[in-house]
Amino acid sequence: MSVPWEEYFQLILEEKLLAERPPVREDGYISHASQLLEKKREMVEMEEALQAKKEEFQVKMSALKQRREALDQKEDALKESMVRFDKFLKDTEAKKSRALRRAEEGRQTASQKEAEVAALKEELKGLIQRKEQLEQQLHKYRPFAQYLEQVVAQSEQFQEIPELMARFSGLSETRAILTEHEQALHKAVEDARAELLKLVEEKNDEILHQNNHVADLQVRLEEVRTQALQWESKWVHIQNTAAQKTLLLGQIKMAALNLFQIVCKQKKEVPTLAVEDTEGQLEQVQQFFQDLSATLAKLHQGEPGPSAADH
């Protein structure tokens, strides 16, 4: 008789062996059944291990999310600091160093998370390989299906093969849950990788933005330096002009002093004004010439008058 329930027999061998032991002449089959029980126990342990890894991965994902939020907060703080940029020319190099250092820390964190994801994928790959090995070992024990039919015939717990099928349905659901957990873990690994790549791309964009801003500020600095050189040139020109004016003023003062001394000599008077009193000296010289002009005018009219020396 053909056996359409070979897969069921592999997983419910434990219940059948506990229900009724086979005759003594079938010790070889009992040994193989014990091996099946051991493999089933390993499958249960593998499911527990997968569940533990899933919880561990969820914890790491939560930590990664917190790290992302912290990075977002730092980014907001950086944008706010750009408003208060009045003193940037004095500490440009310091801020650039801090930005590069934060970028390096971000890259190091991204590399660390990438390594953790790779480690989880390798561990998952090992678990999948272990599962495949167990399935291959179970395949080797399919010939024992006929023996299980004999066990059912002698069993008091199961009277019909459909009862075994019902029992196997429950075990199949367990296996489906295990498969679902495996798929969920694989999807979580892929999601974490995508999130990590997105985070790295955002930080690279931020570094590029900062570099562009620094370049703009350097252009502004060059413009300020150019204006400073222009004002320095104007200041030198002003100083040179002031020196020329000062020299001309000195010459004027010397000329006024000479004229004043000549006038005093003509009037035979001792100079009473200070050497620095240029304005007073010019007034005396002007008065002398006015008196001299008046005298000359009277002489032209034929009228006697006081000489310029009398004044």
Side-chain angles (χ1 to χ4, degrees):
M1 181 180 63
S2 62
V3 182
W5 306 286
E6 292 177 357
E7 296 294 334
Y8 295 96
F9 295 152
Q10 296 174 12
L11 298 177
I12 61 172
L13 181 59
E14 178 183 2
E15 287 78 1
K16 294 308 173 182
L17 293 175
L18 293 176
E20 182 176 352
R21 294 181 178 274
V24 177
R25 63 180 180 274
E26 296 176 348
D27 290 339
Y29 291 107
I30 295 175
S31 177
H32 289 298
S34 300
Q35 293 179 6
L36 284 176
L37 292 176
E38 180 64 21
K39 298 307 177 183
K40 183 176 182 298
R41 183 183 63 79
E42 291 179 1
M43 290 291 290
V44 173
E45 292 177 353
M46 184 182 69
E47 180 182 0
E48 294 176 353
L50 287 175
Q51 180 64 25
K53 292 300 179 182
K54 179 181 179 182
E55 294 176 355
E56 180 182 354
F57 182 79
Q58 291 176 349
V59 171
K60 291 182 178 180
M61 285 298 295
S62 177
L64 182 61
K65 182 178 179 182
Q66 293 178 357
R67 176 61 178 171
R68 172 66 185 279
E69 293 176 353
L71 290 176
D72 291 339
Q73 293 177 358
K74 290 181 180 179
E75 183 178 2
D76 294 338
L78 182 60
K79 291 180 179 178
E80 182 180 358
S81 67
M82 298 301 293
V83 179
R84 303 185 302 270
F85 208 66
D86 295 338
K87 297 182 180 180
F88 186 82
L89 293 177
K90 296 181 180 180
D91 58 357
T92 300
E93 294 299 329
K95 288 187 178 181
K96 180 179 178 181
S97 299
R98 290 196 296 271
L100 292 175
R101 184 169 60 254
R102 287 195 294 269
E104 182 63 24
E105 292 175 356
R107 285 194 294 268
Q108 292 177 359
T109 302
S111 300
Q112 182 180 0
K113 296 302 180 181
E114 182 73 18
E116 292 178 359
V117 171
L120 288 174
K121 292 185 69 175
E122 288 295 329
E123 188 173 1
L124 177 61
K125 182 179 178 182
L127 292 174
I128 293 175
Q129 291 177 352
R130 177 59 179 167
K131 177 184 176 182
E132 292 176 353
Q133 293 174 358
L134 293 175
E135 289 178 350
Q136 292 175 359
Q137 292 176 359
L138 289 174
H139 182 72
K140 294 190 302 183
Y141 299 116
R142 288 182 179 179
F144 298 104
Q146 187 175 1
Y147 170 74
L148 293 177
E149 288 183 357
Q150 297 176 3
V151 172
V152 170
Q154 299 176 5
S155 175
E156 295 179 356
Q157 182 178 0
F158 299 99
Q159 301 298 327
E160 299 292 339
I161 295 297
E163 296 181 8
L164 290 175
M165 293 178 63
R167 177 61 177 170
F168 178 74
S169 297
L171 296 175
S172 297
E173 292 178 359
T174 301
R175 183 179 180 181
I177 293 174
L178 178 61
T179 302
E180 183 180 354
H181 289 170
E182 177 185 346
Q183 294 176 351
L185 179 60
H186 181 72
K187 183 178 182 300
V189 170
E190 294 300 328
D191 293 342
R193 181 181 180 84
E195 185 70 19
L196 184 60
L197 292 176
K198 181 180 178 181
L199 180 61
V200 171
E201 183 178 357
E202 290 177 355
K203 290 305 167 184
N204 289 336
D205 292 340
E206 180 182 349
I207 292 172
L208 179 61
H209 175 72
Q210 292 297 329
N211 289 336
N212 293 335
H213 193 70
V214 170
D216 293 339
L217 290 174
Q218 288 177 345
V219 172
R220 288 180 55 191
L221 178 61
E222 292 299 327
E223 293 176 353
V224 171
R225 287 177 177 174
T226 302
Q227 294 178 358
L229 291 175
Q230 293 176 353
W231 282 110
E232 288 178 359
S233 177
K234 291 181 180 180
W235 174 244
V236 171
H237 177 71
I238 291 172
Q239 288 180 331
N240 293 334
T241 303
Q244 294 176 359
K245 297 297 183 181
T246 302
L247 179 59
L248 180 60
L249 179 62
Q251 294 174 351
I252 293 172
K253 288 183 176 181
M254 289 297 299
L257 178 61
N258 291 333
L259 289 174
F260 176 69
Q261 290 177 350
I262 292 172
V263 168
C264 291
K265 184 177 180 181
Q266 290 294 327
K267 295 171 66 175
K268 297 179 181 181
E269 294 179 356
V270 178
T272 58
L273 296 177
V275 177
E276 295 81 6
D277 190 5
T278 302
E279 183 176 359
Q281 295 170 4
L282 291 175
E283 290 178 354
Q284 291 291 330
V285 171
Q286 182 180 13
Q287 184 64 40
F288 174 78
F289 280 106
Q290 289 176 352
D291 294 342
L292 182 60
S293 297
T295 302
L296 291 175
K298 290 179 180 180
L299 289 175
H300 284 299
Q301 294 175 0
E303 297 179 358
S307 64
D310 294 337
H311 296 281

